[in-house]
Each structure stands twice: as C-alpha cells, then as structure tokens.
Amino acid sequence: MRYIIIGAGAVGGAIGGRLAEAGHDVALVARGAHYEALRTHGLRLMTSEGTRTHRLPTIDGPAALGELCADDVLVLAVKTQDSEAALEAWGPAPVAGGGTAAERLPLVCAQNGVEGPRIALRRFRRVYGVCVWLPATLVEPGAVSAAGAPLTGILHLGRHPHGTDETARRIAADLEKAHFEAPVVPDVARWQYAKLLGNLANAIEAVSGVLTSEEGLALYARVRAEGEAVLAAADIAYTGEEEQKKVRDNKIRFEPFDGSERGGGSSWQSLDRGTGTIEADYLNGEIVLLGRLHGVPTPLNELLQRLANTFARERRAAGSLPVAELVRLADEAVAFVQEERAPRP
C-alpha cells in the first residue's frame, strides 16, 4: 500500500517519515513554506535515535499525482478546521480502474478531537478513526521532531463509526513495523473521547504556556470536570484513566533529540507559527456543543474556546496571558453563569 499523507506537518510528518523508514511507499502533501522545504531538501525527521532526511514525493494536491492507485491509503493529518478543504480536493480524485477516492479508497483520520471522521464520512465511504498519542513538533519548514521513545506513538485504529476490518489490520501491521503501536479496536471513538478530555488543556497551554504551575493544573481539572459532566449527560463512553495507563505503560517517554525541554502541543504550535487558525472549536468547542445540546453549562470551555480563537485571529503570542489572569477570567465566567441560572424572586 502507498500512504499519501495529507498534511505532512508534525503528526503527518512523523507518521510518513517512520513509514518510509520501514520501507513503505509514502507521498507527502503540504503547502506553503513547508511544501517548498520538503520538495527542495526532503523531510528532516528528528528522533531520539538521531536525524534522518527522507527524499519523498511531495505534492500540493491530487492533480500532481494524476490517477490514484486502488491500494492507496489516504492519511488525513491536517488540523480539523482544515478538513473540509482537504476532503473537497481529494474526494473527487480519480482512481485507476474507475471511481473516485471518496468511493474507493480508505481515509484514515489522524487528528485530535472527534469531528474529523464525522466530516469525512459525509464524503468518503471508508473512514477510519485514530486516537493519536504522538508527541511531535513541526520545528521549522521541512523539519519534524518526534521525540517519543521507545515507541514514536500509540495509534488506536478502527472503522468509523465502529468496527474493524482487514484494511485496518493491514494498516496497523505497517504502523507496528514503523515504531508505533497500533491496536485495532472496534470502539475507537471511546479512545478518541478520552483523548478529547486531555486535549481540553490545549487551549490553556496555548494562551498561558505549558502547564506546570499548580494554578494552571487546577484550572485544567475544572475544565476537564466540565467535559466529563457533558459526556455523562450525553451518555458517551470513554476510556478510563486506568485502562489508558495500562495501555501506555511507559511505552512513550519524551526523549528530545537535542536535550531541550518539551515545547507546547498542537494548539500552542499553531499560535507560535502564527497560522491564524486554531483547533479550539473542535476540542473545547466540542464540549460546548454537547453541553448546549444536553443542557449542561460549560463556561470554562466556552471561555477557552473564545480566547484561543481570539489569540489565533489576532496572532497574539503563544503563552502570553498570565495564568493568574486566565484563572480570574475563568472565575468570572463561572460566576456569571451561576448568577444567570439562579432562581429569580
């Protein structure tokens, strides 16, 4: 199978680079300065084992490939807010022997949140969800750091909305030869919702810096409690902490290639690169949406969604809002909702 990585940034670059190292046919899809760097200099993949450069076919869209092959696998690794544009471009791409990518090819959504596979299923017949545990950073155009060890990542994989099949097992087998663990599960959404609860911290980190202070961690606990209450109200199952811990079991340690401290996650990286967009609508915003549907107030997640989007739109510096100020705004948001919901005389 050839793997076409749509969005060869941090996560996509790490997956594509590792698959290439394992001997698989890989094509990278990128744009802008990253596209130019990949085409000119190759993908520089940095891991705890060292730095390797992979000269892989790099394109900016399906037209550059011509006809797709019947055994191609599309890996959607763009941020969720960029999914529609990517799917619109790749869905109609012709496949050798007849039909289109949307009709014939498997689409693997390697993204944060739970919305990506739902968006994809509107266009593609064969959609696979992935719960992505993969510490990776787009260091600069053309260079990706994947500092997990001994495994590069753990990628739970399954059909969306549920089930497994032979294609999932073949993809998982390829990933497991490429420094990943890839359990094939019939309930991948349960793992994705558990990851979603963890990703609610992304907006805190993006606007106020990496979570190290007691204040920041306490705020995240409150934000997560909102998320858990919403999932309970919506009757949505998710993997518990003990089950997650058992699966990870020290399989991924952060071992940066250059001795540096761990930087921010995906949302922080979006602000740091000044992309103008951020994934908060599909992380904290998912909790806000479910809260509104099921009558559960979510003032903290609403605040973080709004702040993250404002920071992205105005291109404010990542981590520039002091944690104490963020906590003050959070307390005000909660107080406002409590007052609004209080019985009137």
Side-chain angles (χ1 to χ4, degrees):
M1 297 188 290
R2 176 175 61 173
Y3 290 89
I4 300 172
I5 311 297
I6 304 171
V11 168
I15 292 174
R18 282 303 206 183
L19 283 169
E21 289 174 5
H24 297 288
D25 195 1
V26 175
L28 305 178
V29 183
R31 59 187 180 182
H34 189 46
Y35 164 76
E36 296 296 340
L38 291 172
R39 279 183 63 86
T40 305
H41 304 293
L43 170 66
R44 192 154 49 96
L45 181 62
M46 296 168 276
T47 72
S48 57
E49 303 158 14
T51 299
R52 294 161 303 284
T53 298
H54 302 286
R55 301 277 182 174
L56 302 172
T58 301
I59 58 176
D60 58 1
L65 279 180
E67 267 191 336
L68 297 170
C69 300
D71 60 354
D72 283 342
V73 175
L74 304 181
V75 179
L76 186 67
V78 299
K79 298 288 176 62
T80 304
Q81 65 268 25
D82 297 320
S83 293
E84 283 284 5
L87 295 170
E88 183 177 0
W90 285 87
V95 178
T100 65
E103 294 168 325
R104 295 187 58 194
L105 299 186
L107 179 80
V108 179
C109 297
Q111 301 168 294
N112 282 335
V114 297
E115 184 64 16
R118 293 198 298 232
I119 295 172
L121 203 60
R122 290 185 176 92
R123 297 177 184 269
F124 280 73
R125 290 179 180 171
R126 300 167 62 195
V127 176
Y128 298 78
V130 179
C131 178
V132 180
W133 279 330
L134 169 53
T137 303
L138 180 60
V139 179
E140 61 184 12
V144 170
S145 167
L151 292 176
T152 298
I154 300 177
L155 306 172
H156 283 76
L157 173 70
R159 285 292 296 261
H160 179 79
H162 49 73
T164 64
D165 62 16
E166 182 59 27
T167 297
R169 287 186 283 274
R170 288 177 65 195
I171 294 169
D174 287 349
L175 289 169
E176 295 207 338
K177 294 173 184 174
H179 291 270
F180 296 99
E181 187 170 292
V184 177
V185 294
D187 55 352
V188 68
R190 194 168 66 94
W191 294 88
Q192 290 172 310
Y193 276 104
K195 177 82 182 315
L196 173 66
L197 290 173
N199 285 146
L200 298 180
N202 286 25
I204 302 175
E205 182 179 72
V207 301
S208 292
V210 179
L211 278 175
T212 54
S213 70
E214 289 186 11
E215 273 186 309
L217 292 169
L219 176 60
Y220 165 60
R222 296 165 62 191
V223 171
R224 181 187 174 100
E226 271 189 6
E228 291 175 344
V230 162
L231 295 186
D235 196 26
I236 293 174
Y238 58 92
T239 313
E241 290 289 332
E242 283 302 314
E243 187 174 358
Q244 293 181 62
K245 183 179 179 181
K246 183 179 179 181
V247 168
R248 294 177 195 175
D249 193 27
N250 294 319
K251 294 174 183 176
I252 304 177
R253 299 185 305 275
F254 182 71
E255 295 184 0
F257 63 93
D258 60 357
S260 63
E261 293 183 4
R262 183 174 185 176
S266 57
S267 297
W268 186 94
Q269 291 176 46
S270 292
L271 291 185
D272 189 53
R273 296 200 307 273
T275 62
T277 66
I278 199 165
E279 58 194 340
D281 285 346
Y282 302 100
L283 301 179
N284 305 91
E286 180 70 26
I287 297 302
V288 171
L289 171 61
L290 289 171
R292 290 170 181 167
L293 289 173
H294 296 278
V296 179
T298 58
L300 297 177
N301 281 282
E302 286 185 40
L303 171 68
L304 290 171
Q305 180 186 8
R306 184 171 66 253
L307 282 175
N309 280 315
T310 298
F311 267 59
R313 184 174 59 253
E314 298 179 357
R315 288 176 166 78
R316 298 188 192 177
S320 58
L321 182 68
V323 174
E325 176 63 11
L326 179 58
V327 171
R328 184 188 69 79
L329 292 172
D331 290 341
E332 286 183 356
V334 171
F336 178 80
V337 169
Q338 289 174 339
E339 181 179 346
E340 194 176 49
R341 292 168 63 88
R344 303 296 180 186

